[in-house]
Amino acid sequence: MRTLTFRNGDEMPALGLGTWKSAPGDVGGAVRAALEIGYRHIDCAAIYGNEKEVGEALAGAMRDGVVSRGDLWITSKLWCTHHREEDVRPAIEATLSDLGLDHLDLYLVHWPVALVKEPNSPLEPGDLVSLDEIPLRETWGGMEALVDAGLAKHIGVSNDSVPKLEMHLDARIVPEMDQVEMHPYLQQPDLVAFAKEHAIHVTAYSPLGSPDRPDVMRGDDDPVLLDDATIGAIAGDLGATPAQVLLAWGLQRGTSVIPKSTNPERLAQNFAAASLELPADAMSAIDALDRARRYCDGEFWCLEGSAYTVEELWDE
Ligand code: A2P
């Protein structure tokens, strides 16, 4: 298994299990099956609403001797309702309590977007708080304090553009991770190059193109990544599946990938992608598929009259 090495030498398994969209009732079984298959990196978030069940599965697997805490890499994320500096620690404490852990390996600021305390997603413009009011650097101060307190070994961000990463480059603890949507239709070569230059790792979410994304992220003419003809042809040549080709491409680029599945066969299939080597001509054929196409375009944040626009969100 490829690993990403952090600044203190800690190593994160590059292929992890995504738990976004894994329904309560399904996620515990998926985590247990994944751990038995060999996954050691689980990607979580408070907003997924399933951390308690993930925690029960982790506890069960540790109790049964399937894994020990030291073998695991657990990531979670700070939700947008907790961006005030004093709200960051209570948020990770709730996540740790749900997951049944005393520290996280990695904690990320989920979005560069701030919300009032309730609701969890914006229903009207007033639910969104501008970044002038709660600057990202204020939130980051709360994140740095978590490392000092031993609650998170590493900290990072998610959904950050290059200009937003730049805002953190003179921080006491520079982010070690940016988790963003990334797949052959959204390759973001500039972001990957910038991150590499500054020793920031990149995790690709929705590496399969997120076919089960919610309706709010769906358009009529959305291309289906798993049905891409080039990906299908490469898969055919290598005796692999399209999903395995997508994951192997992400791993070979040096990023982490966190495919979500709750199906044991697909969990095993995805894990096996870590052993698939794509030849150089397949890598370049896939590189040519980029169309800068987001499935998760963040439009749901950008209510008219709020402080957020899609252009400013991605700085595009
Ligand atoms: P399921 O959970 O039933 O396996 P992403 O990680 O890009 O968000 O994609 C997750 C979606 O892709 C889910 O709908 C998941 O369904 C599906 N999926 C996961 N692994 C595979 C695979 N190997 N082949 C096809 N679809 C997959």
Side-chain angles (χ1 to χ4, degrees), residues 76-115:
S76 184
K77 310 185 194 86
L78 175 79
W79 191 237
C80 311
T81 47
H82 287 69
H83 272 211
R84 290 259 181 229
E85 188 154 6
E86 65 271 20
D87 291 335
V88 175
R89 183 163 176 153
I92 197 176
E93 283 172 344
T95 272
L96 288 172
S97 161
D98 284 347
L99 290 172
L101 302 176
D102 62 6
H103 73 276
L104 292 175
D105 298 282
L106 177 63
Y107 197 49
L108 307 176
V109 180
H110 206 145
W111 282 90
V113 170
L115 286 175

Side-chain angles (χ1 to χ4, degrees), residues 18 20-22 183 204-213 225-226 241-244 247 258-267 269-270:
W20 175 42
K21 309 177 259 79
S22 296
H183 42 69
Y205 75 71
S206 301
L208 305 177
S210 207
D212 58 346
R213 65 193 176 281
L225 182 60
L226 279 164
T241 68
Q244 289 177 321
L247 298 174
I258 46 167
K260 169 265 175 185
S261 182
T262 50
N263 173 290
E265 277 167 27
R266 288 190 285 277
L267 284 167
Q269 184 193 120
N270 295 346

Side-chain angles (χ1 to χ4, degrees), residues 6-302:
F6 282 65
R7 293 181 200 134
N8 70 347
D10 285 352
E11 294 197 30
M12 178 180 95
L15 188 139
L17 174 69
T19 60
W20 175 42
K21 309 177 259 79
S22 296
D26 292 340
V27 73
V31 169
R32 177 62 183 247
L35 294 172
E36 287 180 3
I37 288 164
Y39 288 75
R40 293 294 178 263
H41 163 187
I42 313 287
D43 182 81
C44 313
I47 194 62
Y48 302 162
N50 55 16
E51 287 193 320
K52 236 187 166 87
E53 194 176 325
V54 172
E56 284 160 8
L58 294 176
M62 288 192 259
R63 201 173 44 236
D64 298 344
V66 179
V67 282
S68 59
R69 176 66 184 96
D71 300 330
L72 290 172
W73 183 283
I74 308 293
T75 299
S76 184
K77 310 185 194 86
L78 175 79
W79 191 237
C80 311
T81 47
H82 287 69
H83 272 211
R84 290 259 181 229
E85 188 154 6
E86 65 271 20
D87 291 335
V88 175
R89 183 163 176 153
I92 197 176
E93 283 172 344
T95 272
L96 288 172
S97 161
D98 284 347
L99 290 172
L101 302 176
D102 62 6
H103 73 276
L104 292 175
D105 298 282
L106 177 63
Y107 197 49
L108 307 176
V109 180
H110 206 145
W111 282 90
V113 170
L115 286 175
V116 294
K117 275 281 150 53
E118 281 184 12
N120 271 335
S121 58
L123 300 176
E124 48 188 76
D127 295 337
L128 287 143
V129 184
S130 77
L131 297 180
D132 291 333
E133 222 172 304
I134 311 182
L136 292 172
R137 282 301 286 262
E138 171 180 337
T139 310
W140 194 250
M143 297 290 284
E144 290 174 323
L146 302 180
V147 178
D148 300 337
L151 298 176
K153 286 199 166 170
H154 302 275
I155 50 175
V157 293
S158 180
N159 295 299
D160 270 17
S161 60
V162 166
K164 292 199 174 69
L165 284 178
E166 274 171 339
M167 287 167 45
H168 288 305
L169 289 184
D170 65 347
R172 179 164 64 86
I173 305 177
V174 176
E176 289 195 86
M177 175 63 73
D178 191 6
Q179 181 179 126
V180 295
E181 179 182 345
M182 192 169 279
H183 42 69
Y185 288 169
L186 181 67
Q187 302 192 11
Q188 310 199 62
D190 295 346
L191 177 72
V192 171
F194 179 88
K196 191 167 180 196
E197 187 185 333
H198 295 282
I200 300 169
H201 289 300
V202 174
T203 294
Y205 75 71
S206 301
L208 305 177
S210 207
D212 58 346
R213 65 193 176 281
D215 287 345
V216 64
M217 298 176 196
R218 231 171 248 287
D220 292 340
D221 56 351
D222 288 351
V224 180
L225 182 60
L226 279 164
D227 292 346
D228 184 276
T230 302
I231 301 291
I234 294 169
D237 287 348
L238 298 175
T241 68
Q244 289 177 321
V245 170
L246 294 171
L247 298 174
W249 173 82
L251 293 170
Q252 256 167 263
R253 276 181 109 205
T255 63
S256 172
V257 291
I258 46 167
K260 169 265 175 185
S261 182
T262 50
N263 173 290
E265 277 167 27
R266 288 190 285 277
L267 284 167
Q269 184 193 120
N270 295 346
F271 191 71
S275 321
L276 179 67
E277 279 293 321
L278 299 184
D281 59 343
M283 287 299 286
S284 11
I286 299 174
D287 289 347
L289 297 178
D290 196 7
R291 42 177 103 170
R293 179 68 162 74
R294 290 182 195 281
Y295 291 111
C296 181
D297 66 7
E299 235 174 80
F300 46 88
W301 294 122
C302 303

Side-chain angles (χ1 to χ4, degrees), residues 296-316:
C296 181
D297 66 7
E299 235 174 80
F300 46 88
W301 294 122
C302 303
L303 303 188
E304 215 176 312
S306 81
Y308 295 86
T309 62
V310 172
E311 293 70 28
E312 281 167 357
L313 182 64
W314 305 117
D315 296 298
E316 280 168 352

